[in-house]
Amino acid sequence: MDILIGAIVVVFVLIMGFRAFTGYSSYKGTLYQQLFSSYLEYFWRMSMQRDLSRSNYLQERIGPHRIVYNAYRDGQGRIAATFATVFSTRGHAAICAVATSGAVAGKDTGSWTVERDGKRYALPSPVTYVRRQKKLLDGFLKGAPVEYIIAFNAGTDTSGVACSYTVLTVDALVDHLAEKPEGAVSEADMMKAFETFKEMAAHAQ
């Protein structure tokens, strides 16, 4: 019996170790790396709890919160923009994660570009998708404070961006959220917003 239990434990450890190894690519260099205290926490919540709506790290930095995720597709059906929306008692924040680096330039209207290694490339305007996210959230938040943030990879030069939304790099994100004063939203209203979003997402599937 002890041998059987030992074998089960070994198999479990091997399976979880393999899943942890293969899952690291979904964490490294993404917004998840900023929202969670470590890969261990991310992996535990993703694989064991199947719930990425809470973060020990964010709890320490900003207090009561919940996180939801959604994405928008382009005309070809490819994912064009990914969002993490943090519902918090400090006010809500909808974060559009743009996985690019270099020197970015763009405005509220018109096309955006990114320059790397002396070459300039077209960049889909994140403003288009931020406006779609705003329309989605305005439908049920009813005047609650929401900041819309466009977050680029660490090291990105954003000095060429001039738009009406907050623009920063992901490594500055949590510090930015933590600077907001507490009490902008009650915890009950925060949870109501979170549950409403979940219900909307469930009906959309």
Side-chain angles (χ1 to χ4, degrees):
M1 186 65 177
D2 290 343
I3 294 175
L4 177 60
I5 293 174
I8 292 173
V9 170
V10 169
V11 170
F12 176 78
V13 170
L14 288 173
I15 291 173
M16 295 309 296
F18 178 76
R19 289 176 65 181
F21 175 77
T22 56
Y24 188 66
S25 61
S26 68
Y27 169 82
K28 185 179 180 181
T30 70
L31 196 58
Y32 294 128
Q33 198 165 358
Q34 309 301 322
L35 298 177
F36 295 92
S37 59
S38 64
Y39 178 59
L40 180 62
E41 182 191 1
Y42 167 78
F43 176 74
W44 178 261
R45 291 188 180 280
M46 178 187 68
S47 297
M48 304 302 292
Q49 297 183 330
R50 299 187 182 279
D51 180 9
L52 292 174
S53 68
R54 287 181 286 180
S55 159
N56 292 341
Y57 179 53
L58 285 189
Q59 184 66 34
E60 292 175 1
R61 295 298 309 276
I62 68 173
H65 70 280
R66 290 294 186 273
I67 315 167
V68 295
Y69 309 89
N70 66 298
Y72 294 97
R73 296 183 181 274
D74 61 19
Q76 286 71 48
R78 298 169 299 193
I79 292 179
T82 58
F83 280 82
T85 299
V86 179
F87 297 115
S88 164
T89 56
R90 295 174 184 261
H92 312 316
I95 305 140
C96 178
V98 182
T100 193
S101 57
V104 177
K107 299 180 180 181
D108 279 333
T109 59
S111 58
W112 285 43
T113 61
V114 57
E115 186 174 337
R116 287 191 299 269
D117 302 323
K119 296 181 180 180
R120 185 168 294 177
Y121 306 90
L123 180 70
S125 172
V127 171
T128 301
Y129 300 101
V130 169
R131 287 172 176 161
R132 289 178 64 179
Q133 186 75 354
K134 185 177 187 304
K135 183 177 180 180
L136 172 69
L137 297 182
D138 282 351
F140 67 91
L141 287 179
K142 308 301 181 185
V146 185
E147 182 178 17
Y148 293 88
I149 300 171
I150 301 172
F152 293 94
N153 289 357
T156 301
D157 178 3
T158 62
S159 60
V161 177
C163 75
S164 54
Y165 302 106
T166 301
V167 176
L168 44 70
T169 54
V170 290
D171 50 327
L173 174 62
V174 176
D175 285 342
H176 178 76
L177 297 180
E179 289 172 355
K180 298 179 180 299
E182 296 184 44
V185 177
S186 71
E187 192 163 351
D189 285 344
M190 177 198 80
M191 290 302 302
K192 182 179 179 181
F194 170 66
E195 295 297 339
T196 300
F197 189 100
K198 285 204 309 179
E199 184 176 345
M200 287 172 50
H203 289 160
Q205 291 177 355

